Amino acid sequence: MKVWPRSLILSGRKTPFALFVLYASSVFGQSSLLIENVTVISAEQPGVKADTSVLVQNGIISRIGRVADMPEVAEPDLQRLDGGGQFLIPGLIDSHVHLGGQAGLEGAETAKKSRLIDEFHQAEPRSFLAFGFTTLIDVSATPARVDAWNRLTTRPDLHYCISMPFANGYGMAFAPEDTRFDTPYFLYDEKQANQIPEKHVLSDHTAEAVIEKISQTDAICAKVYYETGFGGLFDFPVPSVQLIRDVVTHAQNAGLVTLLHGNSLEAQRFAVQSRVDVLAHGLWHWTGYNGEAGIPDAIRQVLDDVVEADIAYQPTLQVLFGERDIFLPEFLDDIRLEEVYSSELIDWYKSQEGGWFRRRLKKNYVNNPKLVEAFIGAEQETDSRDTMLPSEAGIDRLGRVVTYLHDNGGRFAFGTDTPSSPTYANPPGYNGLMEIRRLASFGVSPESIFAALTIENARVFGIDDTVGSVEVGKVANLLITGSNPMVSIEAYDDIEWVIQRGEAYRRSSLVQIEE
Ligand SMILES: [Zn+2]
């Protein structure tokens, strides 16, 4: 088993978070909060604590105890919440999001509809809170975007990774050739020296040099890629095992977590060989085994290796569901969407222009029968009626992977990849509830889902010193739910209060729904 570099993560990282906590009271000027008579559930402790009171001061949990043992709090502006009959749990963590996107719009439409996108951005932080997500990790953010987010008052805490794309590989291949190398964080490839502008030199783009640059920022993680082209649609160059091992070694020394994008059999083998900390995405391209039933030996072997190497796993089921669901016309009639999208935006999704990504996906399938065949793992009449088949075949394989990992000691870190593509079927916040339901449908227990959403996610990303559990000294990012998440995952759809750094919001105040 790999020894988790916990000490490195905690000691090596600069702590902007701690600084923020120090100033939190002056930033928010908040009063103290006393939650009374509540049942506390926290994944690092067995059982529940009934009839408990929790005191929050300056955004931090300062005391947890029996109701009778709580001190008289003399603060005149003390806010009290009666938690009778309710549950107090840690706020949820989504460790794979992409914030500040274009709300599923593209090209000229983004300029024409910039107001819709602005409104979407205004609602986005509240949408995540409304579904219980009080901490997010944007896995490919820029420091500037994170700063802008952190200036908002009502928002989940945001951490981020910096992307380290391989030269001309996935993560930079879609950018125009003359600007794609403008990132200081790409990894050089000597074999491609001819395809890299001369002003970019190897010494600035080795594993060590790039990790050194990332360690100058507040990022907590570095994201690398192993993507040959989505099962045959593209042909991207990929890094060597040695290069990513170097990244991992230098990242560990700098207190950074490494995350590998990889959803194919080769990519997940590569993750094991290169010893990354986290696999972003489940294994859905079974390369050569796609049509097989059960769990073929080659798949079983790599999953066993992932467990043995203690690599945390983000299944991101909603990537495939998001590509399937845009072909379901009734998806846009789901009234829950009105909690996160304006009615104007939903109307646009229903319009002819709003269907552009659905048409593009369909075109991909129709123009690439080999791709569809590979995805499905069987000969397939590529018929435009069957545009949901590739993602459904992937979902079916991924479901088996998730069940196998759950039954064999896999370590899940909850991440949705919201949004994984310009699909409206990955709505902010709500996508998390959908991901939870999908995990449960593949047999992941309520206990495992709860841990993956809270303490496991915090430990994997080295933020468990501040969040992930209900403990004295931690940031008061908490939820009050009407039912018990250890009994049923529907507790995540039964949230009454969202407490963000000690500030309590009624859930209903965080959703849009206009009259
Ligand atoms: Zn992603």
Side-chain angles (χ1 to χ4, degrees):
M1 298 282 279
K2 184 173 72 180
V3 178
W4 198 254
R6 181 118 322 275
S7 55
L8 287 174
I9 288 172
L10 293 183
S11 63
R13 181 159 62 89
K14 295 190 283 4
T15 49
F17 203 85
L19 276 178
F20 197 75
V21 168
L22 208 63
Y23 295 122
S25 56
S26 56
V27 171
F28 295 113
Q30 74 215 138
S31 56
S32 300
L33 172 68
L34 182 62
I35 305 154
E36 299 174 289
N37 307 309
V38 80
T39 297
V40 175
I41 306 179
S42 192
E44 85 293 352
Q45 297 162 8
V48 301
K49 279 196 217 131
D51 299 324
T52 299
S53 289
V54 175
L55 180 64
V56 173
Q57 291 173 302
N58 298 324
I60 304 292
I61 300 171
S62 62
R63 191 157 175 135
I64 302 174
R66 305 288 300 179
V67 175
D69 300 337
M70 289 309 267
E72 261 320 300
V73 182
E75 294 174 40
D77 52 354
L78 176 73
Q79 187 192 355
R80 289 172 187 267
L81 278 183
D82 180 16
Q86 297 175 311
F87 299 84
L88 184 74
I89 66 171
L92 312 180
I93 302 168
D94 186 339
S95 59
H96 192 143
V97 299
H98 301 276
L99 300 172
Q102 304 296 321
L105 284 88
E106 192 202 47
E109 290 289 330
T110 58
K112 274 198 292 183
K113 298 278 191 293
S114 62
R115 185 179 50 81
L116 280 185
I117 297 179
D118 287 347
E119 287 168 3
F120 169 81
H121 288 160
Q122 277 163 28
E124 194 178 27
R126 304 174 81 88
S127 301
F128 279 103
L129 287 176
F131 284 88
F133 293 94
T134 53
T135 300
L136 302 176
I137 300 176
D138 188 322
V139 298
S140 48
T142 60
R145 204 201 291 166
V146 175
D147 284 347
W149 176 277
N150 284 338
R151 278 195 292 274
L152 304 170
T153 318
T154 304
R155 50 148 179 98
D157 293 342
L158 176 61
H159 296 278
Y160 67 104
C161 309
I162 286 182
S163 247
M164 300 177 69
F166 185 61
N168 291 309
Y170 181 54
M172 71 190 292
F174 294 130
E177 272 176 52
D178 53 330
T179 57
R180 69 170 62 150
F181 290 97
D182 290 350
T183 164
Y185 306 112
F186 82 86
L187 290 167
Y188 200 89
D189 179 21
E190 284 176 280
K191 290 199 195 103
Q192 297 186 68
N194 292 338
Q195 287 109 278
I196 301 174
E198 264 173 41
K199 64 175 175 175
H200 303 289
V201 295
L202 172 66
S203 59
D204 286 342
H205 294 278
T206 60
E208 185 176 9
V210 176
I211 288 292
E212 169 59 26
K213 285 182 249 185
I214 294 178
S215 71
Q216 304 298 317
T217 70
D218 293 334
I220 61 168
C221 40
K223 187 183 183 199
V224 288
Y225 301 82
Y226 191 97
E227 178 58 68
T228 54
F230 315 124
L233 195 55
F234 300 96
D235 187 14
F236 301 131
V238 289
S240 67
V241 169
Q242 190 54 53
L243 179 60
I244 301 305
R245 270 195 192 175
D246 286 349
V247 169
V248 172
T249 304
H250 292 293
Q252 283 177 349
N253 290 336
L256 293 163
V257 174
T258 47
L259 183 88
L260 178 86
H261 161 101
N263 48 48
S264 64
L265 177 56
E266 308 90 300
Q268 302 221 334
R269 276 183 186 141
F270 183 87
V272 171
Q273 291 164 348
S274 56
R275 302 170 190 155
V276 293
D277 298 315
V278 185
L279 250 170
H281 307 305
L283 173 47
W284 59 72
H285 285 297
W286 286 10
T287 327
Y289 303 93
N290 278 342
E292 294 197 14
I295 300 274
D297 285 344
I299 302 297
R300 182 187 311 267
Q301 186 60 57
V302 75
L303 296 179
D304 288 346
D305 291 346
V306 164
V307 174
E308 173 66 24
D310 201 22
I311 295 173
Y313 209 84
Q314 296 177 329
T316 67
L317 290 149
Q318 280 299 109
V319 172
L320 297 179
F321 279 101
E323 288 184 5
R324 187 203 67 173
D325 288 352
I326 54 168
F327 292 105
L328 296 173
E330 66 270 27
F331 182 87
L332 286 171
D333 295 328
D334 178 353
I335 54 163
R336 300 301 298 276
L337 291 177
E338 294 170 24
E339 295 188 353
V340 300
Y341 292 142
S342 66
S343 52
E344 216 180 327
L345 190 54
I346 294 173
D347 285 343
W348 186 80
Y349 293 146
K350 289 180 176 171
S351 71
Q352 168 68 14
E353 304 89 72
W356 72 271
F357 184 62
R358 177 171 53 245
R359 287 190 295 277
R360 180 177 299 174
L361 268 184
K362 185 165 161 179
K363 212 163 122 195
N364 273 347
Y365 295 143
V366 173
N367 293 347
N368 300 283
K370 282 256 175 294
L371 171 80
V372 174
E373 224 177 275
F375 215 113
I376 292 176
E379 286 214 15
Q380 175 63 34
E381 291 269 318
T382 306
D383 185 312
S384 55
R385 280 174 303 145
D386 294 329
T387 39
M388 289 190 289
L389 280 180
S391 23
E392 280 180 343
I395 287 166
D396 183 57
R397 287 189 293 270
L398 180 52
R400 281 177 269 157
V401 165
V402 167
T403 307
Y404 183 85
L405 283 172
H406 177 257
D407 294 346
N408 291 277
R411 182 184 197 195
F412 292 115
F414 185 90
T416 54
D417 198 3
T418 302
S420 57
S421 59
T423 176
Y424 49 71
N426 285 165
Y430 187 21
N431 205 37
L433 181 60
M434 295 193 230
E435 179 83 14
I436 290 168
R437 288 178 173 154
R438 306 302 187 192
L439 286 167
S441 77
F442 292 122
V444 183
S445 65
E447 293 86 345
S448 299
I449 290 175
F450 184 56
L453 278 161
T454 58
I455 193 68
E456 272 301 313
N457 235 352
R459 285 179 183 149
V460 166
F461 285 90
I463 52 176
D464 55 323
D465 50 339
T466 51
V467 292
S469 61
V470 185
E471 283 181 271
V472 170
K474 287 206 179 180
V475 172
N477 285 356
L478 304 163
L479 306 178
I480 297 179
T481 62
S483 51
N484 183 343
M486 299 298 245
V487 174
S488 165
I489 55 145
E490 287 310 310
Y492 304 109
D493 197 19
D494 196 6
I495 297 171
E496 308 205 358
W497 290 90
V498 178
I499 299 159
Q500 177 69 18
R501 292 184 172 271
E503 202 71 49
Y505 301 91
R506 241 183 222 293
R507 182 188 186 271
S508 54
S509 74
L510 296 165
V511 297
Q512 342 205 336
I513 306 189
E514 313 123 40
E515 280 308 302

